[in-house]
Amino acid sequence: MAKMPLQFSLNGRDTAIFVNGGENMLETLRRGVGDMSPKYGCAQGTCGSCTVIVDGQPQLSCLTLSQTMEGRSVETVSGLSDGPQLHALQQAFMDGFAAQCGYCTGGMLMAAKALLMNNPNPSRDDVVEAISGNVCRCTGYEPIIDAILDAATKMRGRAM
Amino acid sequence: MIGFETYPNVDQAAAALRDDGVYFGGGTLIMRALNYGEQDFSRIVRTTDPALKQVEAAGDRVRIGADVTMREVIASSDLSFLTPVARSVGGPAVRNVATVGGNLFAEHPYGDFTVALLALDGRVSVAGGGEHDLSDFISSRTTFNGVVTSVSVARPGGQDFRYHKVSRVKPKGVSVMSIAAWLPRATGRISNARLAFGAMGETPLRALPVEQALEGTSLDASGIESALQAVIGAFNPPDDPLASGWYRKEVAPVHLRRLLLGEGEK
Amino acid sequence: MASSSIEFRKELFADERPEDLNEIGKPKQRQDALGHVTGRTAYFDDHKFEGLLHMRCVRSPHHHARIRSVNTSAAEIMPGVVRIVRPQDIPNNMNTMLSIIGFGRDDEALLQDKKVAYKGEPVIAIIGETELQVRNACKVVQVDYEVLPHVLDVEEALTPQAPVVNEEYPNNTFDYHDLYDHQKLRFGDVNGAFAKADHVIEGEYQMSPIEQAPMETCGAIAAPETNDRYVCYTSTQALFFSLGLSAKFLNVSSSRLHFIGGTVGGGFGGKVDSLHEPMAVLGSMLTGRPVKFMWDRAEEMQVGAPRGAERWRLKDGVMNDGRIVAREFTGFFDAGAYTRLSSYAIIKGTGHLPGPYSIPNVAANVYCVYTNRTPATAMRGFGITAVDFAIEAHMDKVAEAVRMNPIELRILNAYRDGEMKAHRRLAKNTALIECCQVAAQKGNWAIRPEFSAMSSLQGDSAKVDIPPTVVDHDGKIGDRKRGVINDAAPSKDGQVSDKPTSTVAPVTATQAMGEAAREPARVGADTMPSRVRSAEQESMPARDLPQPPAPTPAPPPAPAVPQQSAFAAPQNTPSDPPSTPVVPSTQQEPYTRGFKRPGTSPFVRGTRRR
Ligand SMILES: Cc1cc2nc3c(=O)[nH]c(=O)nc-3n(C[C@H](O)[C@H](O)[C@H](O)COP(=O)(O)OP(=O)(O)OC[C@H]3O[C@@H](n4cnc5c(N)ncnc54)[C@H](O)[C@@H]3O)c2cc1C
């Protein structure tokens, strides 16, 4: 059974791997590369636990054909912190009790990061819209929204 | 083993489809099928043809490439009238890849974008030449085995185009129903209105009786009365986990009234 | 940051709570938060194994059907298929979850070979190299079904002509205490009170099944380990449950199973059923390789056991001033096709009746009914949530009927400290009145000053005296099937127990736990004697046991004795002499119930301390 070669950048590092035809990027990242941070929740795009960032935009890795990632830049929550230094979003999620079981958290953080990259000064509605494809079943949406707004404020402060 | 082929030119891609190939737009629906073992293809075919990514305004119409994504629709200044429609499809990650071409084939209750295209007199261009009326194209879409290259729509003036999506989850949710209306007016009276509904049948559908009932009327409570009557019998919507067909029929006049009178919009 | 929306009402019950605690009442960083935000928290599926295989099930498309034959020959030669797993491959393919505590009879197979009783019930499992290959192989398995009539409604399932859903319980009801087809609660005399009430108000309430829908679907990965052991990473919420049941299904010592769990991507009760672990370990035993068995989202929704649907009928006797003097329940739990945890939910739910109110006459008949639906299991507030919905909806209906402010009605009837509850424990640490007062205030809902002044601390000592309880034998196992009885509601013509329960003394929770009472019991302070229970009875949770009524005159207090059960089943010889009290928490009994088949796991047999 032939496998196909695939090269892409993962969290800024060049990555090369062989994938099965028809394989999705969630499987490639988790079982192929070994980055377990994107999670399987539904394999149909409805839950957002597998959200990654591709070339600066949020994307559902379960609905991404791995072979379309050739030469693209992929970011996961594994690469969010700067070494031991947490990203402002991570710190805000911790401080604001925005993670309970933690299963949706990686996807939420990626959706939030994509938002703040494109819009550093979001309104509450913008935040709600940005995470509208991400389900949290422990129902902590309010702390999650607060944490994202909190991180945005802190990041703007730092940039100035 | 699923094959994957990329062609530089759309005609080559169309020729490569044959019996066991599927054209890959953004892949949101194709991948879902594959993940659940429900695929009816063994080869995935796509093209990098730049023509399918173009948005071109010409006269009173605008042509949208089939591979244009919902995010790109929102970003395009030529398509600002379609921004609310594109924004109503999925969440940001879905919109980032979901294409206009793929939306033409999305099964009930999906197809919100197509509802708007229907109301705006959409015409479908396919690889190998030929232009089809969108209504006709959709009604026979299950047997289509080619590649759509673009959809052209009318550019509505000012306040003439309206769109409303009803869903149970806010801000993102699948349609209980979606309604698009193009309401050109001559001296205050509606003439040649076009309306389309989503999730009210197997495919997005035009509401011909409603269009006729609106002809020559004004957009006020008494002017739209017969249109509200007309919508009641216009569709035979299916039951699904979101709403029963009965419910959809019952609330159709309510949502149509809100759309026409600009009520209840948030 | 770390602001909290919780508002503490520290002025309430201030003297019952120390204020100098270091942790309680203070925000505290979750110890697992860093792992969550960095994506490093390892759930069961986040462990890498060389050569991991995938397992999936062929499932019934029918609600109810006999399996005539299964043909797997096409699947066996599909690419990537490693092993077909059949019911015969499971050493001990019959179980009930609560056999782990000796409650109920084995009634469910891991893979069915005779009959399927719900849509999605697994028949065959296939193990293969990739998930897609296994999916494709599952599609070509041919199962020849003889479709049977099915029943999806709880009350239809109780009729004599209803199809038999679960062969182990041919009456379509769980057998309670080897005697009745329902769980009884009898407290006082509801029919006498209805006759004297100014109003009798009835209502029926129906809840839907609710899927827990955790973000992480249920699953397990098992792999051969050293020393003939198997390691199993699992999403279970109940690690030792899953360990014990896997040992039972596979007929191996639990010491050969190395279970790792505890990190759960949301559970809410939906991850206790222990179906994945035995399958994954079995797969690993049969192939000698790591095997993953995990539901996809569609399976999680279709075959993942939900909170079962419940139907409740309530009947209240109410006086013109709003006092509720009697409350009767007829409850139907839709267990789906198999028992799982529903039998227990009913015992728990019945113990909760009549809700947080002091009502002197209460009766309930609660049925655990088998239907051809997905089996039900635990979910948050298990056994309580649905009946609480029914009770509170009914309280509003009562308020309307007697034209009373619904919050005042609740305060008027609320239980207070020291009052007797229907399960014959004194209420303690009650706070409903204060909750109502704060809710009214927050919601700008006016209540009269006398209701604002009431307190949970002011119990009415008259409400400790239990009225003589009327008991009955209606609804013996099989009576409904035989057409002997069809009314499901509590009996209209019971008899006052010849042992007036009014002489039964209250027992506080601390006494029931075996501690000495701090102060003498109040009001008619005689105490219920207890008999030494038979081993058979002992294997059920002590408080749920049918107990004989108290003899008169009562013997002196024996504080460490559990009180007479309110779930009265007066079949035992009432003349039994009082005997030495038994403290259940130290009782040692052979732990065998539910494991009568050969091949029982060594783990679950033997003597265990409960
Ligand atoms: C979580 C989620 C939420 C969604 N929400 C919505 C919603 O709210 N509203 C809505 O309308 N839709 C929704 N969708 C459906 C879907 O994402 C969109 O309809 C989208 O536009 C489909 O486009 P695609 O490019 O991803 O299609 P693909 O998956 O690439 O293709 C779908 C089908 O269309 C065919 N196709 C695609 N492009 C062409 C072409 N150019 N020529 C010929 N055939 C073509 C494919 O062969 C395939 O059969 C949702 C989907 C998901 C997963």
Side-chain angles (χ1 to χ4, degrees):
Chain A
M1 186 168 72
K3 295 207 175 211
M4 258 69 68
L6 173 67
Q7 289 192 51
F8 61 101
S9 148
L10 177 60
N11 295 321
R13 285 185 305 278
D14 288 344
T15 304
I17 185 144
F18 288 90
V19 299
N20 289 317
E23 186 172 304
N24 67 42
M25 198 57 183
L26 178 62
E27 187 70 8
T28 300
L29 288 170
R30 289 173 56 81
R31 295 281 155 202
V33 181
D35 182 350
M36 295 293 187
S37 66
K39 302 295 179 200
Y40 175 105
C42 69
Q44 48 180 278
T46 45
C47 83
S49 317
C50 70
T51 307
V52 298
I53 295 176
V54 178
D55 294 334
Q57 296 295 335
Q59 192 153 328
L60 298 164
S61 59
C62 77
L63 296 186
T64 301
L65 181 66
S66 298
Q67 287 156 289
T68 62
M69 289 296 100
E70 184 66 36
R72 313 282 294 270
S73 161
V74 179
E75 293 170 60
T76 67
V77 74
S78 297
L80 187 55
S81 59
D82 180 8
Q85 182 63 45
L86 292 182
H87 187 277
L89 278 164
Q90 292 172 309
Q91 193 62 51
F93 268 55
M94 279 186 77
D95 294 344
F97 298 95
Q100 189 171 319
C101 84
Y103 205 78
C104 74
T105 307
M108 286 285 182
L109 285 165
M110 287 294 101
K113 189 190 178 197
L115 168 73
L116 298 187
M117 278 160 51
N118 298 311
N119 176 5
N121 192 7
S123 67
R124 199 175 180 84
D125 281 350
D126 293 337
V127 174
V128 170
E129 178 63 45
I131 61 166
S132 63
N134 296 70
V135 177
C136 164
R137 185 64 174 154
C138 305
T139 58
Y141 292 116
E142 291 299 316
I144 291 169
I145 296 164
D146 288 342
I148 296 170
L149 287 167
D150 180 48
T153 310
K154 296 218 167 87
M155 286 164 72
R156 287 198 306 275
R158 212 171 292 155
M160 280 191 290
Chain B
M1 185 66 178
I2 304 291
F4 180 61
E5 301 158 25
T6 303
Y7 296 92
N9 173 298
V10 69
D11 292 326
Q12 292 168 328
L17 284 178
R18 302 195 295 276
D19 278 352
D20 60 340
V22 67
Y23 183 77
F24 190 93
T28 53
L29 298 173
I30 288 174
M31 290 307 290
R32 190 180 72 175
L34 205 48
N35 291 345
Y36 278 83
E38 290 161 2
Q39 75 286 357
D40 54 2
F41 51 82
S42 55
R43 288 157 51 246
I44 292 172
V45 174
R46 70 166 180 175
T47 179
T48 48
D49 199 329
L52 273 70
K53 277 284 185 189
Q54 268 169 22
V55 177
E56 239 181 311
D60 58 357
R61 294 185 72 86
V62 56
R63 178 175 297 283
I64 312 167
D67 277 359
V68 170
T69 65
M70 296 297 149
R71 184 170 67 80
E72 289 161 347
V73 168
I74 295 167
S76 164
S77 54
D78 284 325
L79 299 176
S80 52
F81 57 98
L82 288 172
T83 295
V85 186
R87 225 182 253 293
S88 81
V89 174
V94 169
R95 296 200 285 275
N96 185 34
V97 294
T99 65
V100 171
N103 201 269
L104 303 180
F105 297 90
E107 284 175 14
H108 172 88
Y110 290 150
D112 299 316
F113 199 79
T114 305
V115 174
L117 301 178
L118 261 183
L120 291 168
D121 188 22
R123 291 178 210 156
V124 179
S125 297
V126 302
E131 202 178 61
H132 306 269
D133 172 70
L134 179 56
S135 263
D136 299 342
F137 183 83
I138 292 173
S139 61
S140 59
R141 68 184 180 184
T142 49
T143 56
F144 179 73
N145 185 27
V147 179
V148 172
T149 53
S150 67
V151 184
S152 112
V153 292
R155 281 207 289 182
Q159 302 297 303
D160 290 354
F161 178 70
R162 294 175 187 193
Y163 171 79
H164 181 50
K165 173 170 167 175
V166 184
S167 61
R168 290 168 57 170
V169 181
K170 301 261 176 342
K172 182 208 89 147
V174 175
S175 277
V176 168
M177 114 184 23
S178 52
I179 318 175
W182 181 26
L183 306 165
R185 267 161 289 185
T187 60
R189 308 233 159 233
I190 296 168
S191 90
N192 294 319
R194 285 179 67 101
L195 278 93
F197 280 72
M200 291 295 279
E202 287 306 313
T203 66
L205 292 168
R206 262 180 85 182
L208 294 171
V210 179
E211 293 175 4
Q212 282 154 15
L214 283 173
E215 188 61 33
T217 68
S218 55
L219 274 189
D220 52 39
S222 62
I224 66 166
E225 193 51 47
S226 58
L228 301 186
Q229 284 298 320
V231 78
I232 294 173
F235 302 106
N236 191 13
D239 294 340
D240 66 25
L242 298 169
S244 65
W246 172 86
Y247 174 81
R248 288 187 156 103
K249 262 178 123 134
E250 287 293 309
V251 299
V254 176
H255 294 298
L256 180 60
R257 191 191 68 231
R258 288 180 188 170
L259 178 89
L260 294 177
L261 299 183
E263 293 171 351
E265 305 278 334
K266 269 172 272 154
Chain C
M1 267 308 289
S3 66
S4 162
S5 55
I6 298 170
E7 185 187 317
F8 291 99
R9 289 294 179 120
K10 299 215 168 187
E11 73 278 12
L12 298 172
F13 313 113
D15 56 340
E16 293 181 17
R17 178 184 52 240
E19 283 301 332
D20 53 354
L21 301 175
N22 294 323
E23 302 290 345
I24 293 173
K26 307 222 161 73
K28 179 118 179 103
Q29 185 67 261
R30 295 180 60 95
Q31 51 98 13
D32 54 4
L34 185 61
H36 291 351
V37 301
T38 52
R40 287 191 200 111
T41 300
Y43 302 86
F44 90 89
D45 192 25
D46 296 340
H47 299 275
K48 288 205 82 175
F49 289 93
E50 153 59 23
L52 181 70
L53 297 173
H54 298 261
M55 180 189 237
R56 294 188 54 80
C57 286
V58 175
R59 299 181 177 281
S60 162
H62 305 294
H63 293 301
H64 199 194
R66 202 164 302 286
I67 301 167
R68 287 206 197 96
S69 67
V70 179
N71 182 348
T72 57
S73 50
E76 285 158 31
I77 55 168
M78 290 284 281
V81 170
V82 174
R83 171 85 199 212
I84 311 279
V85 185
R86 303 169 204 283
Q88 309 88 276
D89 291 322
I90 303 163
N92 183 24
N93 189 21
M94 199 43 95
N95 177 51
T96 191
M97 284 180 70
L98 289 175
S99 60
I100 212 97
I101 56 162
F103 187 53
R105 304 193 293 270
D106 289 348
D107 67 346
E108 184 174 5
L110 213 45
L111 292 175
Q112 272 302 351
D113 57 354
K114 295 185 189 68
K115 193 186 92 164
V116 286
Y118 68 94
K119 202 172 180 169
E121 184 160 11
V123 174
I124 286 283
I126 297 181
I127 302 174
E129 299 285 347
T130 73
E131 196 197 313
L132 189 58
Q133 285 172 333
V134 178
R135 283 182 185 276
N136 291 337
C138 284
K139 278 192 263 185
V140 301
V141 171
Q142 288 165 354
V143 184
D144 182 14
Y145 292 104
E146 175 195 341
V147 178
L148 301 171
H150 61 258
V151 58
L152 300 175
D153 181 86
V154 281
E155 287 185 81
E156 238 174 86
L158 294 184
T159 59
Q161 61 278 11
V164 174
V165 173
N166 182 327
E167 308 290 342
E168 190 62 41
Y169 295 98
N171 305 302
N172 289 345
T173 49
F174 183 78
D175 299 341
Y176 277 99
H177 317 300
D178 296 328
L179 196 64
Y180 299 120
D181 65 3
H182 60 281
Q183 176 67 54
K184 283 183 195 292
L185 161 61
R186 298 291 183 270
F187 182 74
D189 174 12
V190 283
N191 291 309
F194 287 142
K196 284 180 231 146
D198 295 326
H199 309 265
V200 173
I201 298 153
E202 299 186 58
E204 179 175 308
Y205 307 91
Q206 172 78 50
M207 270 62 63
S208 302
I210 299 170
E211 166 59 37
Q212 300 84 356
M215 296 304 295
E216 171 202 53
T217 59
C218 294
I221 299 179
E225 216 186 29
T226 54
N227 302 336
D228 201 23
R229 302 206 316 167
Y230 291 86
V231 67
C232 178
Y233 290 91
T234 156
S235 68
T236 186
Q237 280 181 267
L239 196 72
F240 288 90
F241 233 123
S242 300
L243 178 69
L245 293 177
S246 298
K248 177 182 173 187
F249 274 120
L250 303 173
N251 196 26
V252 298
S253 161
S254 64
S255 62
R256 287 183 58 203
L257 303 177
H258 176 194
F259 272 43
I260 300 172
T263 304
V264 179
F268 322 117
K271 286 181 178 164
V272 297
D273 284 7
S274 306
L275 303 170
H276 296 83
E277 301 79 8
M279 289 293 283
V281 176
L282 176 67
S284 184
M285 287 174 163
L286 294 175
T287 60
R289 287 175 61 178
V291 171
K292 174 162 106 175
F293 179 49
M294 180 182 182
W295 281 338
D296 62 29
R297 179 55 60 187
E299 289 175 301
E300 184 76 39
M301 300 304 282
Q302 175 70 45
V303 300
R307 180 203 294 287
E310 295 174 32
R311 180 175 305 159
W312 286 93
R313 281 198 278 278
L314 270 75
K315 181 175 172 186
D316 279 7
V318 188
M319 305 312 288
N320 282 330
D321 64 2
R323 272 177 305 123
I324 300 171
V325 294
R327 176 168 280 178
E328 183 185 279
F329 295 86
T330 312
F332 307 90
F333 269 60
D334 191 340
Y338 302 103
T339 308
R340 303 271 174 101
L341 297 170
S342 297
S343 53
Y344 156 75
I346 284 159
I347 296 217
K348 189 173 165 214
T350 310
H352 174 70
L353 305 182
Y357 302 103
S358 280
I359 300 177
N361 303 286
V362 184
N365 280 6
V366 192
Y367 299 78
C368 174
V369 186
Y370 301 101
T371 67
N372 295 109
R373 291 182 183 268
T374 307
T377 193
M379 191 173 175
R380 293 175 157 194
F382 186 34
I384 303 298
T385 308
V387 73
D388 261 346
F389 164 72
I391 289 170
E392 294 310 322
H394 199 66
M395 289 300 284
D396 288 342
K397 190 169 181 177
V398 169
E400 222 166 274
V402 298
R403 295 172 189 284
M404 202 169 159
N405 179 329
I407 295 194
E408 292 181 358
L409 177 83
R410 285 174 171 84
I411 293 176
L412 179 72
N413 288 288
Y415 63 173
R416 290 151 166 83
D417 280 5
E419 292 178 353
M420 183 57 75
K421 299 193 63 189
H423 63 292
R424 294 176 174 81
R425 291 283 183 281
L426 287 184
K428 199 179 141 192
N429 294 340
T430 59
L432 177 63
I433 292 175
E434 288 71 16
C435 283
C436 286
Q437 289 162 343
V438 173
Q441 189 189 5
K442 290 262 163 201
N444 287 324
W445 188 276
I447 54 174
R448 282 173 283 170
E450 59 267 38
F451 287 89
S452 302
M454 288 181 185
S455 159
S456 289
L457 300 171
Q458 296 155 1
D460 177 355
S461 59
K463 289 188 181 168
V464 176
D465 239 340
I466 308 172
T469 289
V470 170
V471 296
D472 63 82
H473 299 277
D474 286 3
K476 293 238 176 67
I477 294 166
D479 276 359
R480 245 164 272 275
K481 190 91 189 164
R482 285 191 293 272
V484 177
I485 185 171
N486 58 28
D487 190 4
S491 179
K492 308 272 178 299
D493 41 36
Q495 299 290 317
V496 173
S497 161
D498 55 349
K499 306 291 168 281
T501 41
S502 55
T503 60
V504 171
V507 173
T508 63
T510 35
Q511 285 174 310
M513 302 289 283
E515 288 174 29
R518 267 182 241 146
E519 48 184 310
R522 306 187 288 189
V523 191
D526 306 324
T527 299
M528 186 30 223
S530 175
R531 303 181 313 128
V532 178
R533 294 191 197 87
S534 69
E536 194 67 2
Q537 280 177 310
E538 189 53 36
S539 58
M540 285 186 287
R543 281 187 221 173
D544 303 322
L545 271 179
Q547 293 274 306
T552 326
V561 178
Q563 191 45 263
Q564 177 194 17
S565 169
F567 313 120
Q571 79 280 18
N572 290 315
T573 44
S575 55
D576 271 358
S579 55
T580 323
V582 177
V583 181
S585 59
T586 59
Q587 179 99 354
Q588 303 258 330
E589 285 292 341
Y591 186 68
T592 56
R593 193 180 162 102
F595 294 88
K596 288 172 183 151
R597 276 158 226 277
T600 297
S601 153
F603 169 72
V604 284
R605 198 191 276 140
T607 304
R608 279 175 80 205
R609 203 183 134 103
R610 296 197 336 253

